[in-house]
């Protein structure tokens, strides 16, 4: 089982005034609408449909809170950057996201989701810029790593890490795949420390889960073309 196995939906808000009292510890998940944010949350909690995965990017239009218990929350922020979303909604999201990220007292850190084939887009950098002034930690998940060969993924990981070290030193980064579960244990362990959970327990539970859900890595079947850093 996952240490986040019993995560449940708590509330959804569309206005800052609707936010629950900042009494607990929150970890926010942000990313482009098609970067795999909902799939990452589902993988970490080992829940197939906790966060809604849509074939139409941009469907997450609210801030969704999921409770782990004891005042700990995963916070799913609206996806950004999808062209078909009306301008008025995009502007509302921008205000909602920037204000929440910069002023939320109970927000401990942010998980920033990037498609490994298209990392560090201008909007990704904007998110980092909004959050940098808080001094709080950021962990980048380079998702869909199964879409690339190991060599391609490793090179992009290295390039992103070098960029972050120079510009956002409070950031860490890893490869991640909801399909093969690459990086799920690593990410869960890190978030567990952010929540103040027992790291030995996290590692034990994740090791047990890994033995139960071994999946053959499709990237070994051949190379696919990867993206380049902007």
């Amino acid at each position: 089982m996952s240490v986040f196995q019993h995560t449940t939906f708590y509330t959804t808000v569309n206005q800052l005034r609707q936010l629950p009292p900042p009494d607990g510890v929150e970890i926010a998940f942000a990313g482009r609408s098609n970067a795999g944010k909902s799939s990452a949350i589902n993988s970490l909690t080992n829940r197939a449909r906790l966060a809604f995965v849509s074939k139409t990017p941009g469907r997450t239009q609210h801030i969704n809170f999921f409770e782990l218990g004891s005042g700990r929350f995963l916070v799913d922020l609206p996806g950004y950057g999808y062209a078909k979303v009306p301008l008025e909604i995009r502007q509302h999201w921008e205000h909602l996201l920037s204000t929440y990220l910069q002023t939320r007292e109970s927000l401990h850190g942010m998980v920033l989701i990037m498609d490994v084939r298209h990392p560090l887009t201008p909007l990704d950098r904007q998110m980092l810029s909004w959050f940098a002034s808080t001094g709080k930690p950021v962990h980048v998940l380079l998702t869909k790593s199964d879409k690339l060969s190991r060599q391609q993924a490793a090179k992009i990981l290295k390039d992103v890490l070098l960029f972050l070290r120079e510009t956002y030193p409070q950031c860490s980064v890893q490869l991640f795949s909801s399909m093969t579960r690459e990086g799920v244990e690593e990410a869960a362990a890190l978030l567990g420390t952010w929540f103040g959970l027992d790291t030995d327990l996290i590692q034990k539970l994740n090791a047990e889960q890994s033995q139960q859900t071994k999946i053959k890595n499709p990237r070994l079947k051949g190379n696919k073309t990867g993206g380049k850093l902007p």
Side-chain angles (χ1 to χ4, degrees):
M1 62 177 290
S2 167
V3 71
F4 301 122
Q5 178 75 38
H6 299 296
T7 302
T8 57
F9 174 77
Y10 182 74
T11 190
T12 184
V13 303
N14 192 37
Q15 302 289 338
L16 292 170
R17 64 177 181 271
Q18 299 171 337
L19 289 169
D23 299 330
V25 179
E26 300 168 11
I27 295 176
F29 283 70
R32 288 179 61 87
S33 299
N34 56 353
K37 176 166 56 69
S38 295
S39 295
I41 293 173
N42 291 340
S43 295
L44 288 167
T45 59
N46 201 27
R47 302 279 298 280
R49 289 185 60 82
L50 182 66
F52 182 68
V53 180
S54 173
K55 293 183 179 179
T56 304
R59 289 291 298 275
T60 303
Q61 300 180 10
H62 299 74
I63 297 180
N64 295 312
F65 284 74
F66 302 99
E67 187 176 21
L68 281 69
S70 302
R72 300 182 177 97
F73 298 92
L74 299 179
V75 184
D76 186 9
L77 301 180
Y80 55 85
Y82 190 58
K84 291 185 179 180
V85 174
L87 176 61
E88 182 179 354
I89 293 179
R90 291 207 306 270
Q91 291 174 336
H92 171 67
W93 289 355
E94 180 175 326
H95 173 69
L96 193 64
L97 289 171
S98 62
T99 305
Y100 172 81
L101 290 174
Q102 293 174 334
T103 65
R104 183 69 168 171
E105 297 176 3
S106 52
L107 180 59
H108 178 87
M110 177 175 69
V111 178
L112 186 56
I113 309 298
M114 301 182 194
D115 186 325
V116 69
R117 300 165 297 178
H118 313 288
L120 295 172
T121 67
L123 287 172
D124 293 331
R125 300 185 192 205
Q126 179 66 67
M127 294 296 290
L128 289 169
S129 178
W130 279 339
F131 204 59
S133 62
T134 69
K136 297 175 181 179
V138 177
H139 188 57
V140 175
L141 296 184
L142 296 175
T143 58
K144 306 183 183 182
S145 61
D146 55 282
K147 302 294 184 182
L148 302 179
S149 69
R150 291 186 182 277
Q151 184 177 10
Q152 289 172 323
K155 182 182 184 305
I156 292 175
L157 175 63
K158 180 180 178 180
D159 291 343
V160 172
L161 180 59
L162 289 174
F163 172 83
L164 293 175
R165 281 178 175 172
E166 294 177 357
T167 55
Y168 304 99
Q170 73 269 36
C171 290
S172 53
V173 59
Q174 67 166 99
L175 296 173
F176 190 93
S177 170
S178 297
M179 181 67 67
T180 65
R181 300 191 65 80
E182 176 182 16
V184 172
E185 295 177 24
E186 179 183 351
L190 176 63
L191 299 188
T193 63
W194 285 9
F195 277 128
L197 300 175
D198 189 305
T199 55
D200 290 336
L201 174 62
I202 293 168
Q203 292 173 357
K204 178 181 179 181
L205 292 173
N206 286 333
E208 293 174 355
Q209 176 178 304
S210 178
Q211 291 298 318
Q212 297 170 2
T213 59
K214 283 186 177 179
I215 303 174
K216 186 175 181 181
N217 192 335
R219 77 169 64 174
L220 300 179
K221 294 182 179 179
N223 262 2
K224 295 184 180 180
T225 302
K228 297 180 180 180
L229 290 176

